[in-house]
Amino acid sequence: MKSAEIVYPTKYWQPLSDGRVRCTLCPRYCTLREGKRGACFVRRAHHGEIVLTTYGRSSGFCIDPIEKKPLNHFYPGSSVLSFGTAGCNLGCKFCQNWNISKSRKMESLGRQATPQQIATTANTHHCDSIAFTYNDPVIFLEYAVDTAMACKELTSIP
Ligand code: SF4
């Protein structure tokens, strides 16, 4: 059975005089008619606003050594929990994660994972960090920010 599409409100858009709505989240500035999706595929015009359709759905969960990431002396020797979502605003011809970043099957690809669940999973598996990877996290900004805050909350010393 097909699950209902996620409709998560966003703040980064403006209505246009011709009835379309412009997403202002990334430099593509997609101008969308009702029901249409942006270049990233995961933000859509819905009732005159731009909504995020992948909030709470992630894919590609993997625990990596931090040395796999393009970072220098960032918690050396530690583990990092990696994940991404469907969709991307970029169109790199050399993308190694095209099956995720260009997926149009968000319901079947993404697993449900709340920000708190991701934070708890990272903590349970002794990961000192998480990585938004496989696609450009700007397209799921609201989910990424809430996940970062959930991690911060879990690790904050009272
Ligand atoms: S985030 Fe998506 S919908 Fe918004 S401007 Fe960028 S590609 Fe277009």
Side-chain angles (χ1 to χ4, degrees):
M1 190 178 79
K2 194 169 182 267
S3 55
E5 183 184 65
I6 295 155
V7 175
Y8 193 87
T10 74
K11 292 189 289 191
Y12 306 95
W13 52 270
Q14 53 193 208
L16 301 179
S17 56
D18 63 2
R20 292 181 297 172
V21 58
R22 172 182 289 134
C23 178
T24 56
L25 184 61
C26 92
R28 286 194 181 269
Y29 290 106
C30 299
T31 54
L32 306 173
R33 296 200 183 283
E34 181 65 24
K36 295 295 181 188
R37 293 173 180 274
C40 60
F41 198 71
V42 300
R43 296 177 98 86
R44 185 167 74 79
H46 177 77
H47 294 173
E49 303 181 0
I50 298 288
V51 298
L52 172 62
T53 61
T54 50
Y55 189 102
R57 281 193 183 273
S58 318
S59 61
F61 281 98
C62 183
I63 296 174
D64 294 314
I66 192 68
E67 284 74 18
K68 206 172 156 187
K69 304 295 175 190
L71 303 168
N72 185 34
H73 286 280
F74 183 83
Y75 294 127
S78 69
S79 297
V80 54
L81 178 65
S82 299
F83 73 95
T85 73
C88 194
N89 55 344
L90 304 176
C92 312
K93 299 244 184 287
F94 50 83
C95 182
Q96 297 178 354
N97 309 306
W98 60 270
N99 54 335
I100 297 173
S101 64
K102 293 301 165 190
S103 174
R104 300 296 182 252
K105 296 178 181 169
M106 288 179 289
E107 285 85 6
S108 56
L109 183 84
R111 290 188 212 155
Q112 288 186 4
T114 65
Q116 291 73 22
Q117 286 172 325
I118 294 171
T120 302
T121 300
N123 197 39
T124 302
H125 292 277
H126 309 290
C127 295
D128 286 345
S129 55
I130 61 168
F132 306 123
T133 188
Y134 311 128
N135 60 348
D136 184 346
V138 73
I139 66 165
F140 59 93
L141 175 84
E142 296 79 7
Y143 186 31
V145 168
D146 286 355
T147 301
M149 289 176 68
C151 290
K152 177 76 177 155
E153 201 169 303
L154 196 68
T155 57
S156 289
I157 298 167

